[in-house]
Amino acid sequence: MRLTTAQALVRFLANQWSERDGAEHRLIAGVLGIFGHGNVAGIGQALAEEGAGTGDPLPYYLARNEQAMVHTAVGYARTRRRLSTFACTASIGPGATNLVTGAALATINRLPVLLLPGDIFATRAAGPVLQELEDPRSYDVSVNDSLRPLSRFFDRINRPEQLPSALLAAMRVLTDPAETGAVTLALPQDVQAEAHDWPEELFARRVWHVPRPVPEPAALARAVELLRESRRPLIVAGGGVKYSEAWTELARFAENHGVPVGETQAGKGALPYDHPRAVGAIGHTGTRAADTLAREADLVIGVGTRYTDFTTASRTLFGQARFLNVNVTAFDAAKNSGLMLVADARAALRALDEVDWRADADWTRRATTLATAWQAEVGRAYAGTELTQPVALGIVNELAAGGVVVNAAGSMPGDLHRLWRASDPEQYHVEYGYSCMGYEIAGGLGVKLGAPEREVIVLVGDGSYLMMAQEIATAVQEGVKLVIVLVDNQGFASIGNLSESVGARRLGTAYRARGAGGELDGAPLPLDLAVNAASLGADVLRADTPESLRAALVKAKESARTTVVHVEPVPGDGPGAQAWWDVPVAEVSALPEARAARARYDEAKRDQRSYL
């Protein structure tokens, strides 16, 4: 079958499927792309020829920023539990390098996305081409090489004959729960347009089985022994619980064995907030209930978590507990010198549930008491009469039943992790592996594409909004309705608080003009982000009281169009951090507040464990 390399690529992608538990899913749901001279005559022409409408096997979506379109693919892949994703195509040069941040986010979060950047001429017939990086050490280097360390698989297709093996390797990595992340196939622009005679079997329907690895018997026996020695166990539920769809097994195990369950950002919602064994968020942004239990536990059972510094409170939270780590990835299962149970979360929890063992009854009752007290504290934070950020989140939470909340950066992830009452496993979508400013709107678009039946409520601060708001135009273009709550506090509130805590005097954290002394301490900038959102095609509502926010959200939910609700909250905090986070403080300083911060830092540092 004689096709160009790009035509063969497009036809192949349209025929790839994933399968788990007997259910099949399109592996590549479509192509997000921005065209330039590096991909328009190749992938662009191929999509046009094959048909790229929403009714075609490989629909095309026009994005506004290459980083944003990777965020959209990631939001979609997470919503589809890593069983389906998008391909993202970009031109050479800045189009390709704009993919870098998105690639890092995908790989850090263990989420599949296929990147298809254009590349320089393989023949070098016209070099240096527009936007080419020339490296005097080698003619074989292009800006796409910056994607190598961020990709779980990377290949450059310098000859058409190389495409089939690269495609099969790419699909293998995308569908491997232990290896998945960003996959990059760099495509020289001349090779994209080059014709070749392809074997017809390359384009046959191909189904990739997504495994559920079961525990190795000897490892399971060691895990059972560790469980039986424990009296005060605590589960840390991570994103692997959701990707495995193991929430039923998690609830059954926790109920049958009396084990309280704390949740990471990625795992939040694995149990409903009002489940008898749920103790809420754990770590630096955790609840008083979960963090108190973490300090007292004798065994931490990590299920599908990679133990970031926020989860472990920079290795100060878990006292002298031992670790039993369930994970499909041995790399994560080995963390904290834990006993490794390398397996799918659902398979492992089913196996562990067979153990005749239970936590001490006093421990289980204590967990319930702490969780009940924490929910009362959440109720007080939500019940304020002024429109503080916690009050605003409470109103959104109240009206988000059946929907999905999306967030990524700033002060809101901490408040959401502590305060949000997740009623089902799909309701909470906070990207906190990379905590990438600008993710929210683009990621929310992906969530809505992945779950069109759900109301998607994007919570975004003004800092993130100003970094990447343009995918509002994409949502409007596609008729994909989002509710965007834009929380405008005229600067970087979260980093402002952190700056003050380390003695940096909030430098560079407020949107202010230069003052008379040359510092950024002048008048507030005359920004109107609501007007900006309207210029991108969204409907806009403004709210400045709890009552007006509630009314605006009701109206936004009733609308069929993307709607931005602009909120300017008044200062006011909910419950603060319950555990430490290691952010180094200047060891010497002329500023008294920095010296005081260093003293606190040195004191906290003494509690860090080496996990040996």
Side-chain angles (χ1 to χ4, degrees):
M1 186 178 295
R2 192 159 182 80
L3 299 168
T4 69
T5 302
Q7 290 163 358
L9 168 69
V10 166
R11 190 166 297 188
F12 174 89
L13 294 180
N15 285 292
Q16 305 307 299
W17 298 74
S18 67
E19 175 273 324
R20 187 172 69 179
D21 301 333
E24 294 184 358
H25 313 262
R26 276 203 177 275
L27 178 53
I28 307 298
V31 177
L32 294 152
I34 298 174
F35 294 119
H37 68 282
N39 63 344
V40 66
I43 293 178
Q45 188 281 331
L47 286 169
E49 183 165 317
E50 287 290 316
T54 53
D56 294 307
L58 203 65
Y60 164 72
Y61 297 85
L62 169 61
R64 268 67 190 177
N65 178 281
E66 292 87 357
Q67 176 185 325
M69 66 189 181
V70 186
H71 295 338
T72 297
V74 165
Y76 181 89
R78 179 170 166 178
T79 301
R80 304 294 294 174
R81 294 181 290 280
R82 304 196 293 200
L83 299 172
S84 184
T85 189
F86 276 88
C88 299
T89 181
S91 187
I92 73 170
T97 53
N98 278 352
L99 298 172
V100 167
T101 297
L105 182 145
T107 296
I108 285 171
N109 284 287
R110 317 295 205 261
L111 288 163
V113 60
L114 178 60
L115 307 181
L116 303 172
D119 212 326
I120 58 179
F121 280 67
T123 60
R124 304 175 186 166
V129 297
L130 177 65
Q131 299 176 324
E132 177 179 347
L133 169 73
E134 290 187 275
D135 190 325
R137 297 168 297 176
S138 172
Y139 286 119
D140 192 39
V141 174
S142 81
V143 296
N144 287 335
D145 289 283
S146 64
L147 288 159
R148 285 183 184 271
L150 305 174
S151 300
R152 299 297 291 167
F153 178 80
F154 178 100
D155 202 5
R156 179 176 285 115
I157 313 302
N158 286 312
R159 292 293 308 140
E161 294 90 339
Q162 297 170 347
L163 183 68
S165 61
L167 285 172
L168 295 177
M171 299 304 109
R172 174 189 64 79
V173 174
L174 288 172
T175 55
D176 184 337
E179 292 293 323
T180 197
V183 169
T184 301
L185 298 182
L187 301 165
Q189 55 185 304
D190 53 344
V191 178
Q192 289 184 51
E194 185 175 346
H196 182 70
D197 293 319
W198 307 91
E200 290 192 13
E201 56 264 36
L202 178 64
F203 309 114
R205 189 178 191 274
R206 195 178 301 265
V207 180
W208 298 84
H209 172 67
V210 179
R212 287 191 180 278
V214 298
E216 186 255 334
L220 181 60
R222 291 190 293 270
V224 169
E225 183 179 353
L226 195 58
L227 283 179
R228 285 178 171 157
E229 293 173 355
S230 172
R231 297 292 176 265
R232 302 185 308 280
L234 173 67
I235 291 172
V236 176
V241 175
K242 293 187 180 181
Y243 300 141
S244 177
E245 300 175 277
W247 41 77
T248 300
E249 286 74 14
L250 176 66
R252 184 181 301 122
F253 179 85
E255 292 161 7
N256 290 344
H257 303 281
V259 185
V261 178
E263 301 165 320
T264 70
Q265 283 279 12
K268 189 171 175 68
L271 287 186
Y273 79 95
D274 55 355
H275 187 279
R277 299 283 78 79
V279 295
I282 197 162
H284 174 64
T285 53
T287 70
R288 200 180 315 280
D291 285 357
T292 298
L293 295 170
R295 294 183 179 97
E296 300 173 3
D298 62 8
L299 177 66
V300 174
I301 307 168
V303 185
T305 177
R306 60 192 185 91
Y307 289 114
T308 69
D309 63 339
F310 261 54
T311 299
T312 68
S314 300
R315 301 187 177 186
T316 63
L317 183 60
F318 292 117
Q320 297 305 309
R322 293 186 290 177
F323 290 85
L324 167 59
N325 298 329
V326 176
N327 208 293
V328 291
T329 306
F331 178 80
D332 289 324
K335 288 179 177 175
N336 302 347
S337 296
L339 193 153
M340 299 166 60
L341 194 59
V342 180
D344 169 77
R346 178 189 284 185
L349 286 168
R350 285 180 177 178
L352 292 173
D353 195 33
E354 299 298 319
V355 181
D356 183 16
W357 158 86
R358 232 187 125 76
D360 281 353
D362 287 347
W363 174 254
T364 305
R365 284 192 293 271
R366 174 164 167 71
T368 301
T369 300
L370 288 168
T372 300
W374 177 258
Q375 285 305 322
E377 198 165 344
V378 173
R380 289 190 291 273
Y382 278 176
T385 57
E386 293 187 298
L387 192 57
T388 62
Q389 183 165 288
V391 169
L393 296 183
I395 294 168
V396 175
N397 201 166
E398 172 193 336
L399 297 175
V404 184
V405 64
V406 181
N407 186 242
S411 60
M412 278 187 282
D415 284 347
L416 286 165
H417 196 208
R418 278 187 290 270
L419 302 177
W420 188 266
R421 291 168 166 169
S423 56
D424 70 74
E426 308 291 354
Q427 190 191 48
Y428 188 85
H429 184 115
V430 172
E431 188 286 298
Y432 216 60
Y434 208 35
S435 187
C436 185
M437 296 183 73
Y439 174 86
E440 291 90 345
I441 295 171
L445 175 61
V447 173
K448 185 66 174 180
L449 290 170
E453 73 283 1
R454 283 186 174 247
E455 192 79 72
V456 175
I457 302 175
V458 174
L459 290 167
V460 60
D462 51 308
S464 270
Y465 180 91
L466 282 170
M467 289 192 179
M468 194 164 291
Q470 61 269 39
E471 299 312 307
I472 289 176
T474 304
V476 171
Q477 171 186 280
E478 296 294 339
V480 176
K481 184 256 180 115
L482 302 175
V483 175
I484 301 169
V485 179
L486 171 52
V487 179
D488 188 350
N489 47 35
Q490 298 182 353
F492 305 116
S494 175
I495 296 302
N497 292 334
L498 180 61
S499 173
E500 186 171 40
S501 75
V502 299
R505 295 186 170 179
R506 293 183 174 264
L507 177 66
T509 61
Y511 295 152
R512 291 184 174 274
R514 291 266 175 210
E519 302 289 338
L520 292 172
D521 58 359
L525 298 181
L527 306 180
D528 194 329
L529 302 185
V531 172
N532 177 268
S535 77
L536 293 171
D539 292 342
V540 175
L541 303 169
R542 295 179 187 259
D544 56 7
T545 65
E547 294 74 23
S548 62
L549 175 58
R550 185 174 284 104
L553 285 171
V554 169
K555 186 174 181 179
K557 289 181 65 177
E558 292 172 348
S559 173
R561 286 177 40 78
T562 288
T563 303
V564 173
V565 179
H566 181 268
V567 179
E568 294 188 54
V570 298
D573 298 323
Q578 306 298 312
W580 189 59
W581 182 37
D582 191 343
V583 177
V585 179
E587 195 166 2
V588 296
S589 175
L591 301 178
E593 58 267 45
R595 293 196 299 272
R598 180 67 194 200
R600 293 192 298 270
Y601 177 81
D602 290 338
E603 180 69 25
K605 192 85 171 167
R606 296 192 183 101
D607 293 331
Q608 280 187 315
R609 286 180 60 184
S610 61
Y611 291 137
L612 296 175

